[in-house]
Coordinates of all heavy atoms in Angstrom, one line a residue:
M28 N -30.5 50.0 26.5 CA -31.6 49.4 26.0 C -31.6 49.4 24.5 O -32.0 48.4 23.9 CB -32.9 50.1 26.5 CG -33.3 49.7 27.9 SD -33.8 47.9 27.8 CE -34.3 47.7 29.6
A29 N -31.2 50.5 23.9 CA -31.2 50.5 22.4 C -30.2 49.5 21.8 O -30.4 48.9 20.8 CB -30.8 51.9 22.0
D30 N -29.1 49.1 22.5 CA -28.2 48.1 22.0 C -28.8 46.8 22.0 O -28.6 46.0 21.1 CB -26.9 48.2 22.9 CG -25.8 47.3 22.4 OD1 -25.6 47.3 21.1 OD2 -25.1 46.7 23.1
D31 N -29.6 46.4 23.0 CA -30.3 45.1 23.0 C -31.3 45.0 21.9 O -31.5 44.0 21.3 CB -30.9 44.9 24.4 CG -30.0 44.6 25.5 OD1 -28.8 44.3 25.2 OD2 -30.3 44.8 26.7
T32 N -32.0 46.1 21.8 CA -33.0 46.2 20.7 C -32.4 46.0 19.2 O -32.8 45.2 18.4 CB -33.9 47.4 20.8 OG1 -34.4 47.6 22.0 CG2 -34.9 47.5 19.7
T33 N -31.3 46.7 19.1 CA -30.5 46.7 17.9 C -30.0 45.2 17.6 O -30.1 44.7 16.5 CB -29.3 47.7 17.8 OG1 -29.8 48.9 18.1 CG2 -28.6 47.6 16.5
R34 N -29.5 44.6 18.6 CA -28.9 43.2 18.6 C -30.0 42.3 18.2 O -29.9 41.4 17.4 CB -28.2 42.9 19.8 CG -27.6 41.5 19.8 CD -26.8 41.1 21.0 NE -26.4 39.8 20.9 CZ -25.2 39.4 21.4 NH1 -24.4 40.2 22.1 NH2 -24.9 38.2 21.3
S35 N -31.2 42.4 18.9 CA -32.3 41.5 18.7 C -32.8 41.7 17.3 O -33.2 40.7 16.6 CB -33.4 41.9 19.8 OG -34.6 41.0 19.4
A36 N -32.9 42.9 16.7 CA -33.4 43.1 15.4 C -32.4 42.5 14.4 O -32.8 41.8 13.4 CB -33.5 44.7 15.2
F37 N -31.2 42.6 14.6 CA -30.1 42.0 13.8 C -30.2 40.5 13.8 O -30.2 39.9 12.7 CB -28.6 42.5 14.2 CG -27.6 41.9 13.3 CD1 -27.4 42.4 12.1 CD2 -26.7 41.0 13.9 CE1 -26.4 41.9 11.2 CE2 -25.7 40.5 13.0 CZ -25.5 40.9 11.7
M38 N -30.4 39.9 15.0 CA -30.6 38.4 15.0 C -31.8 38.0 14.2 O -31.7 37.0 13.6 CB -30.6 38.0 16.5 CG -29.2 37.9 17.1 SD -28.0 36.8 16.3 CE -28.8 35.2 16.5
D39 N -33.0 38.8 14.4 CA -34.1 38.5 13.8 C -33.8 38.6 12.2 O -34.4 37.7 11.4 CB -35.2 39.4 14.1 CG -35.8 39.1 15.5 OD1 -35.5 38.0 16.0 OD2 -36.5 39.9 16.0
W40 N -33.2 39.6 11.8 CA -32.8 39.7 10.3 C -32.0 38.6 9.9 O -32.3 38.0 8.8 CB -32.1 41.0 10.2 CG -31.8 41.4 8.7 CD1 -32.7 42.0 7.8 CD2 -30.7 41.1 8.0 NE1 -32.1 42.1 6.6 CE2 -30.9 41.5 6.7 CE3 -29.4 40.5 8.3 CZ2 -29.9 41.3 5.7 CZ3 -28.5 40.3 7.4 CH2 -28.7 40.7 6.0
I41 N -31.1 38.1 10.7 CA -30.2 37.0 10.2 C -31.1 35.6 10.2 O -30.9 34.9 9.2 CB -29.0 36.8 11.3 CG1 -28.1 37.9 11.1 CG2 -28.4 35.4 11.0 CD1 -27.1 37.9 9.9
C42 N -31.8 35.5 11.2 CA -32.5 34.2 11.3 C -33.7 34.1 10.3 O -34.2 33.0 10.1 CB -33.2 34.0 12.7 SG -31.8 33.8 13.9
R43 N -34.2 35.2 9.8 CA -35.2 35.2 8.8 C -34.7 34.8 7.4 O -35.5 34.4 6.6 CB -35.9 36.5 8.7 CG -37.1 36.7 9.6 CD -37.9 37.9 9.3 NE -37.6 38.9 10.4 CZ -37.1 40.1 10.2 NH1 -36.8 40.6 9.0 NH2 -36.9 40.9 11.2
R44 N -33.5 34.7 7.3 CA -32.9 34.3 6.0 C -32.5 32.8 5.9 O -31.3 32.5 5.6 CB -31.8 35.2 5.5 CG -32.1 36.4 4.9 CD -32.1 37.7 5.7 NE -32.4 38.8 5.0 CZ -33.6 39.5 5.4 NH1 -34.2 39.1 6.5 NH2 -33.9 40.5 4.9
Q45 N -33.3 31.9 6.4 CA -33.0 30.5 6.5 C -32.6 29.9 5.0 O -31.7 29.1 5.0 CB -34.1 29.7 7.0 CG -33.7 28.2 7.2 CD -34.7 27.5 8.0 OE1 -35.8 28.0 8.4 NE2 -34.5 26.2 8.3
F46 N -33.3 30.3 4.1 CA -32.9 29.7 2.6 C -31.6 30.3 2.2 O -30.9 29.4 1.7 CB -34.0 30.2 1.7 CG -33.8 29.7 0.4 CD1 -34.1 28.4 0.0 CD2 -33.3 30.4 -0.7 CE1 -33.9 27.8 -1.2 CE2 -33.1 29.9 -1.9 CZ -33.4 28.7 -2.2
L47 N -31.1 31.4 2.6 CA -29.8 31.8 2.3 C -28.8 31.0 2.9 O -27.9 30.6 2.3 CB -29.7 33.4 2.7 CG -28.3 33.9 2.7 CD1 -27.8 34.1 1.2 CD2 -28.2 35.2 3.4
W48 N -28.9 30.8 4.2 CA -27.9 30.0 5.0 C -27.9 28.6 4.6 O -26.9 28.0 4.5 CB -28.2 30.3 6.5 CG -28.0 31.6 6.9 CD1 -28.9 32.5 7.4 CD2 -26.7 32.3 7.0 NE1 -28.4 33.7 7.7 CE2 -27.0 33.6 7.4 CE3 -25.4 31.9 6.8 CZ2 -26.0 34.6 7.7 CZ3 -24.5 32.9 7.0 CH2 -24.7 34.2 7.5
T49 N -29.1 28.1 4.2 CA -29.1 26.6 3.8 C -28.4 26.6 2.4 O -27.6 25.5 2.2 CB -30.6 26.1 3.7 OG1 -31.2 26.3 4.9 CG2 -30.7 24.6 3.3
S50 N -28.7 27.5 1.5 CA -28.0 27.6 0.2 C -26.5 27.7 0.3 O -25.7 27.0 -0.4 CB -28.6 28.7 -0.6 OG -29.9 28.6 -0.8
L51 N -26.1 28.6 1.3 CA -24.7 28.9 1.4 C -24.1 27.6 2.0 O -22.8 27.2 1.6 CB -24.5 30.0 2.4 CG -23.0 30.6 2.5 CD1 -22.5 30.9 1.2 CD2 -23.1 31.7 3.6
L52 N -24.7 26.8 2.8 CA -24.1 25.6 3.3 C -24.0 24.6 2.2 O -23.0 23.9 2.0 CB -25.1 25.0 4.4 CG -24.7 23.6 5.0 CD1 -23.4 23.7 5.7 CD2 -25.8 23.2 6.0
A53 N -25.0 24.5 1.4 CA -25.0 23.5 0.2 C -23.8 23.9 -0.7 O -23.1 23.0 -1.2 CB -26.3 23.5 -0.5
L54 N -23.7 25.1 -1.0 CA -22.5 25.5 -1.9 C -21.2 25.3 -1.3 O -20.3 24.9 -2.0 CB -22.7 27.1 -2.3 CG -23.9 27.3 -3.3 CD1 -24.0 28.9 -3.4 CD2 -23.6 26.7 -4.6
T55 N -21.1 25.5 0.1 CA -19.8 25.3 0.7 C -19.5 23.8 0.8 O -18.4 23.4 0.5 CB -19.9 25.7 2.1 OG1 -20.3 27.2 2.1 CG2 -18.6 25.6 2.9
L56 N -20.5 23.0 0.8 CA -20.3 21.5 0.8 C -19.8 21.1 -0.5 O -18.9 20.2 -0.6 CB -21.4 20.7 1.4 CG -21.7 20.9 2.9 CD1 -23.0 20.1 3.3 CD2 -20.6 20.5 3.7
V57 N -20.5 21.6 -1.6 CA -20.0 21.3 -3.0 C -18.6 21.7 -3.2 O -17.8 21.0 -3.8 CB -21.0 21.9 -3.9 CG1 -20.5 21.9 -5.3 CG2 -22.4 21.2 -3.9
H58 N -18.3 23.0 -2.7 CA -16.9 23.6 -2.8 C -15.9 22.5 -2.1 O -14.8 22.3 -2.6 CB -16.8 24.8 -2.2 CG -15.7 25.7 -2.6 ND1 -15.8 27.0 -2.9 CD2 -14.4 25.4 -2.6 CE1 -14.6 27.4 -3.2 NE2 -13.6 26.5 -3.0
L59 N -16.3 21.9 -1.0 CA -15.4 21.0 -0.2 C -15.2 19.9 -1.0 O -14.0 19.3 -1.1 CB -16.1 20.7 1.2 CG -15.3 19.8 2.0 CD1 -14.0 20.4 2.5 CD2 -16.1 19.4 3.2
V60 N -16.2 19.3 -1.7 CA -16.0 18.0 -2.5 C -15.1 18.3 -3.7 O -14.2 17.6 -4.0 CB -17.4 17.5 -2.9 CG1 -17.3 16.4 -3.9 CG2 -18.3 17.1 -1.7
I61 N -15.4 19.4 -4.4 CA -14.5 19.8 -5.5 C -13.1 20.1 -5.1 O -12.1 19.5 -5.7 CB -15.1 21.0 -6.2 CG1 -16.4 20.7 -6.8 CG2 -14.1 21.6 -7.2 CD1 -17.1 21.8 -7.5
A62 N -12.9 20.7 -4.0 CA -11.5 20.9 -3.6 C -10.8 19.5 -3.1 O -9.6 19.3 -3.2 CB -11.5 21.9 -2.2
G63 N -11.6 18.7 -2.5 CA -11.1 17.4 -2.1 C -10.7 16.5 -3.3 O -9.6 15.9 -3.3
M64 N -11.4 16.7 -4.4 CA -11.1 16.0 -5.6 C -9.9 16.6 -6.2 O -9.1 15.8 -6.8 CB -12.3 16.1 -6.7 CG -13.5 15.2 -6.2 SD -15.0 15.5 -7.2 CE -14.3 15.4 -8.8
A65 N -9.7 17.9 -6.1 CA -8.5 18.6 -6.7 C -7.3 18.3 -5.9 O -6.2 18.3 -6.4 CB -8.7 20.0 -6.7
A66 N -7.4 18.0 -4.6 CA -6.2 17.7 -3.7 C -5.3 16.6 -4.2 O -4.2 16.5 -3.9 CB -6.7 17.6 -2.3
T67 N -6.0 15.6 -4.7 CA -5.3 14.4 -5.2 C -4.3 14.7 -6.4 O -3.3 14.0 -6.6 CB -6.1 13.2 -5.5 OG1 -7.0 13.7 -6.6 CG2 -7.0 12.8 -4.4
A68 N -4.6 15.8 -7.1 CA -3.9 16.1 -8.3 C -2.8 17.1 -8.2 O -2.1 17.5 -9.1 CB -4.9 16.5 -9.5
I69 N -2.7 17.7 -6.9 CA -1.7 18.7 -6.7 C -0.5 18.3 -5.8 O -0.6 17.7 -4.9 CB -2.5 19.9 -6.0 CG1 -3.5 20.5 -6.9 CG2 -1.4 21.1 -5.5 CD1 -4.4 21.5 -6.3
E70 N 0.7 18.7 -6.4 CA 1.9 18.3 -5.7 C 2.2 19.2 -4.5 O 2.0 20.4 -4.6 CB 3.1 18.3 -6.7 CG 3.0 17.3 -7.7 CD 4.2 17.3 -8.7 OE1 5.3 18.0 -8.2 OE2 4.1 16.8 -9.8
R71 N 2.6 18.6 -3.4 CA 2.9 19.4 -2.3 C 4.1 20.4 -2.6 O 5.2 20.1 -3.2 CB 3.4 18.5 -1.1 CG 3.7 19.2 0.2 CD 3.9 18.2 1.2 NE 4.4 18.8 2.5 CZ 3.5 19.4 3.3 NH1 2.2 19.3 3.2 NH2 3.9 19.9 4.5
G72 N 4.0 21.7 -2.2 CA 5.0 22.7 -2.4 C 4.8 23.5 -3.6 O 5.4 24.5 -3.8
S73 N 3.8 23.2 -4.5 CA 3.4 24.0 -5.7 C 2.6 25.2 -5.2 O 2.0 25.2 -4.1 CB 2.8 23.2 -6.7 OG 1.5 22.8 -6.4
A74 N 2.5 26.2 -6.1 CA 1.6 27.3 -5.8 C 0.2 26.9 -5.8 O -0.6 27.4 -4.8 CB 1.7 28.3 -7.0
S75 N -0.3 25.9 -6.5 CA -1.6 25.4 -6.4 C -1.9 24.8 -5.1 O -3.1 24.9 -4.4 CB -1.9 24.4 -7.5 OG -1.8 25.0 -8.8
Y76 N -0.8 24.2 -4.4 CA -1.0 23.6 -3.1 C -1.4 24.6 -2.1 O -2.2 24.5 -1.2 CB 0.3 23.0 -2.7 CG 0.3 22.3 -1.4 CD1 -0.3 21.2 -1.1 CD2 1.1 23.0 -0.4 CE1 -0.3 20.6 0.3 CE2 1.1 22.5 1.0 CZ 0.4 21.3 1.3 OH 0.4 20.9 2.5
Y77 N -0.8 25.8 -2.1 CA -1.0 27.0 -1.2 C -2.4 27.5 -1.4 O -3.1 27.8 -0.5 CB 0.0 28.0 -1.2 CG 1.4 27.4 -0.7 CD1 2.4 27.1 -1.7 CD2 1.6 27.0 0.5 CE1 3.7 26.6 -1.2 CE2 2.8 26.4 1.0 CZ 3.8 26.2 0.1 OH 4.9 25.7 0.5
V78 N -2.8 27.6 -2.7 CA -4.1 28.1 -3.1 C -5.2 27.1 -2.5 O -6.2 27.5 -1.8 CB -4.3 28.3 -4.5 CG1 -5.8 28.6 -4.8 CG2 -3.5 29.4 -5.0
L79 N -4.8 25.8 -2.6 CA -5.8 24.8 -2.0 C -5.9 24.9 -0.6 O -7.0 24.7 0.0 CB -5.4 23.4 -2.5 CG -6.5 22.3 -2.2 CD1 -7.7 22.6 -3.1 CD2 -5.9 21.1 -2.7
L80 N -4.8 25.1 0.1 CA -4.8 25.3 1.6 C -5.7 26.5 2.0 O -6.5 26.5 2.9 CB -3.4 25.5 2.1 CG -2.5 24.2 2.2 CD1 -1.2 24.5 2.8 CD2 -3.2 23.1 3.2
M81 N -5.6 27.6 1.3 CA -6.3 28.7 1.5 C -7.8 28.4 1.3 O -8.7 28.9 2.1 CB -5.9 29.9 0.8 CG -4.6 30.5 1.2 SD -4.1 32.1 0.4 CE -4.4 31.8 -1.3
D82 N -8.0 27.7 0.4 CA -9.4 27.3 0.0 C -10.0 26.4 1.1 O -11.2 26.7 1.5 CB -9.3 26.4 -1.3 CG -10.6 26.4 -2.1 OD1 -11.5 27.2 -1.8 OD2 -10.9 25.4 -2.8
F83 N -9.3 25.5 1.6 CA -9.8 24.7 2.7 C -10.0 25.6 4.0 O -10.9 25.4 4.8 CB -8.9 23.5 3.0 CG -9.1 22.4 2.2 CD1 -8.1 21.8 1.3 CD2 -10.3 21.7 2.1 CE1 -8.3 20.8 0.5 CE2 -10.5 20.6 1.3 CZ -9.6 20.1 0.5
G84 N -9.1 26.5 4.2 CA -9.3 27.5 5.3 C -10.6 28.3 5.2 O -11.3 28.5 6.2
L85 N -10.8 28.8 4.0 CA -12.1 29.5 3.8 C -13.3 28.7 4.0 O -14.3 29.1 4.6 CB -12.1 30.1 2.3 CG -13.3 30.8 1.8 CD1 -13.6 32.1 2.6 CD2 -13.3 31.0 0.4
I86 N -13.2 27.4 3.6 CA -14.3 26.5 3.7 C -14.5 26.3 5.2 O -15.7 26.2 5.7 CB -14.0 25.3 3.0 CG1 -14.2 25.3 1.5 CG2 -15.0 24.0 3.5 CD1 -13.7 24.2 0.7
A87 N -13.4 26.1 6.0 CA -13.6 25.9 7.4 C -14.2 27.1 8.1 O -15.1 27.0 9.0 CB -12.2 25.7 8.0
V88 N -13.8 28.3 7.7 CA -14.4 29.5 8.3 C -15.9 29.6 7.9 O -16.7 29.9 8.8 CB -13.7 30.8 7.9 CG1 -14.4 32.0 8.2 CG2 -12.2 30.8 8.4
L89 N -16.3 29.4 6.8 CA -17.6 29.4 6.3 C -18.6 28.4 7.0 O -19.6 28.7 7.5 CB -17.8 29.2 4.8 CG -17.5 30.4 3.8 CD1 -17.5 29.9 2.5 CD2 -18.5 31.4 4.1
L90 N -18.0 27.1 7.2 CA -18.7 26.2 7.9 C -18.8 26.6 9.4 O -19.9 26.3 10.0 CB -18.1 24.8 7.8 CG -18.1 24.1 6.5 CD1 -17.3 22.8 6.4 CD2 -19.5 23.9 6.2
V91 N -18.0 27.1 10.1 CA -18.1 27.7 11.4 C -19.1 28.7 11.5 O -20.0 28.6 12.4 CB -16.7 28.1 12.0 CG1 -17.0 28.9 13.3 CG2 -15.8 27.0 12.1
I92 N -19.1 29.6 10.6 CA -20.1 30.8 10.6 C -21.5 30.2 10.4 O -22.5 30.5 11.1 CB -19.8 31.9 9.6 CG1 -18.6 32.6 10.0 CG2 -20.9 32.8 9.3 CD1 -17.9 33.4 8.9
I93 N -21.6 29.3 9.4 CA -23.0 28.7 9.1 C -23.4 27.9 10.3 O -24.6 27.9 10.6 CB -22.9 27.9 7.8 CG1 -22.5 28.8 6.6 CG2 -24.2 27.1 7.6 CD1 -22.2 28.1 5.2
G94 N -22.5 27.2 10.8 CA -22.9 26.3 12.1 C -23.3 27.2 13.2 O -24.3 26.8 13.9
L95 N -22.7 28.3 13.5 CA -23.1 29.2 14.5 C -24.5 29.8 14.3 O -25.4 29.9 15.0 CB -22.1 30.3 14.7 CG -20.9 30.0 15.4 CD1 -19.8 31.2 15.3 CD2 -21.1 29.6 16.8
V96 N -24.8 30.2 13.0 CA -26.1 30.7 12.5 C -27.2 29.6 12.7 O -28.2 29.9 13.3 CB -26.1 31.2 11.1 CG1 -27.5 31.5 10.7 CG2 -25.2 32.4 11.0
F97 N -26.8 28.4 12.3 CA -27.8 27.2 12.5 C -28.1 27.0 14.0 O -29.2 26.7 14.4 CB -27.3 26.0 11.8 CG -27.7 25.8 10.4 CD1 -27.4 26.8 9.5 CD2 -28.3 24.8 10.0 CE1 -27.8 26.7 8.2 CE2 -28.8 24.5 8.7 CZ -28.4 25.6 7.7
W98 N -27.0 27.1 14.8 CA -27.3 26.9 16.3 C -28.0 28.0 16.9 O -28.9 27.8 17.6 CB -25.8 26.6 16.9 CG -25.8 26.6 18.3 CD1 -26.5 25.6 19.1 CD2 -25.2 27.5 19.3 NE1 -26.2 25.9 20.5 CE2 -25.4 27.0 20.6 CE3 -24.4 28.6 19.2 CZ2 -24.9 27.5 21.7 CZ3 -23.9 29.1 20.3 CH2 -24.2 28.6 21.5
R99 N -27.5 29.2 16.6 CA -28.2 30.4 17.4 C -29.7 30.6 16.9 O -30.5 31.1 17.6 CB -27.5 31.7 17.1 CG -26.0 31.7 17.7 CD -26.1 31.7 19.2 NE -26.5 33.0 19.6 CZ -27.0 33.5 20.7 NH1 -26.8 32.5 21.7 NH2 -27.5 34.6 21.0
C100 N -30.0 30.2 15.6 CA -31.3 30.4 15.1 C -32.2 29.2 15.3 O -33.3 29.2 14.7 CB -31.3 30.9 13.6 SG -30.4 32.5 13.4
N101 N -31.7 28.2 15.8 CA -32.5 26.9 16.0 C -33.1 26.3 14.7 O -34.2 25.9 14.7 CB -33.7 27.1 17.1 CG -33.1 27.4 18.4 OD1 -32.0 26.9 18.9 ND2 -33.7 28.4 19.1
Y102 N -32.3 26.4 13.7 CA -32.7 25.7 12.4 C -32.9 24.3 12.5 O -33.7 23.7 11.8 CB -31.8 26.1 11.3 CG -31.8 27.5 10.8 CD1 -30.8 28.0 10.0 CD2 -32.8 28.4 11.2 CE1 -30.8 29.4 9.6 CE2 -32.8 29.7 10.6 CZ -31.9 30.2 9.9 OH -31.8 31.5 9.5
L103 N -32.1 23.6 13.3 CA -32.2 22.2 13.4 C -33.3 21.7 14.5 O -33.3 20.4 14.7 CB -30.8 21.5 13.8 CG -29.7 22.0 12.8 CD1 -28.4 21.4 13.2 CD2 -30.0 21.6 11.4
D104 N -34.0 22.6 15.1 CA -34.9 22.2 16.0 C -36.3 22.1 15.6 O -36.6 22.6 14.4 CB -35.1 23.5 17.1 CG -35.8 23.1 18.4 OD1 -36.0 21.8 18.6 OD2 -36.0 24.0 19.2
D105 N -37.0 21.1 16.1 CA -38.4 20.8 15.4 C -39.4 21.8 15.8 O -40.4 21.9 15.0 CB -38.8 19.4 16.0 CG -38.0 18.3 15.4 OD1 -37.4 18.5 14.3 OD2 -38.0 17.2 16.0
T106 N -39.2 22.6 16.8 CA -40.2 23.6 17.2 C -40.0 24.8 16.4 O -38.9 25.3 16.0 CB -40.0 24.0 18.7 OG1 -38.7 24.6 18.8 CG2 -40.3 22.8 19.6
P107 N -41.2 25.5 15.9 CA -41.1 26.7 15.0 C -40.6 27.9 15.8 O -40.8 27.9 17.1 CB -42.5 26.8 14.6 CG -43.4 26.2 15.6 CD -42.5 25.0 16.2
M108 N -40.0 28.7 15.1 CA -39.5 29.9 15.7 C -40.7 30.9 16.0 O -41.7 30.8 15.4 CB -38.6 30.7 14.6 CG -37.3 30.1 14.4 SD -36.1 30.9 13.3 CE -36.6 32.6 13.4
H109 N -40.5 31.7 17.0 CA -41.5 32.6 17.4 C -41.7 33.9 16.6 O -41.2 34.4 15.9 CB -41.4 33.1 18.8 CG -40.1 33.5 19.2 ND1 -38.8 32.9 19.0 CD2 -39.7 34.7 19.9 CE1 -37.9 33.4 19.4 NE2 -38.3 34.7 19.9

């Protein structure tokens, strides 16, 4: 029982920070645009190319985490949270 209560409290704590997650989404999308603009100027095989690949990997991971939070917390639903 304590584990369910702890998990529920953790989810409530996560879901109460909607502004944080929305801000993180906005910054990640800005980062994606900047990385996309930089991708045209980098030659394949250079050190900057590998840094840019890691950058896109980080962006992908952040978007997956933010998407899961938005889905689990019903941020995109019209009904208010309880």
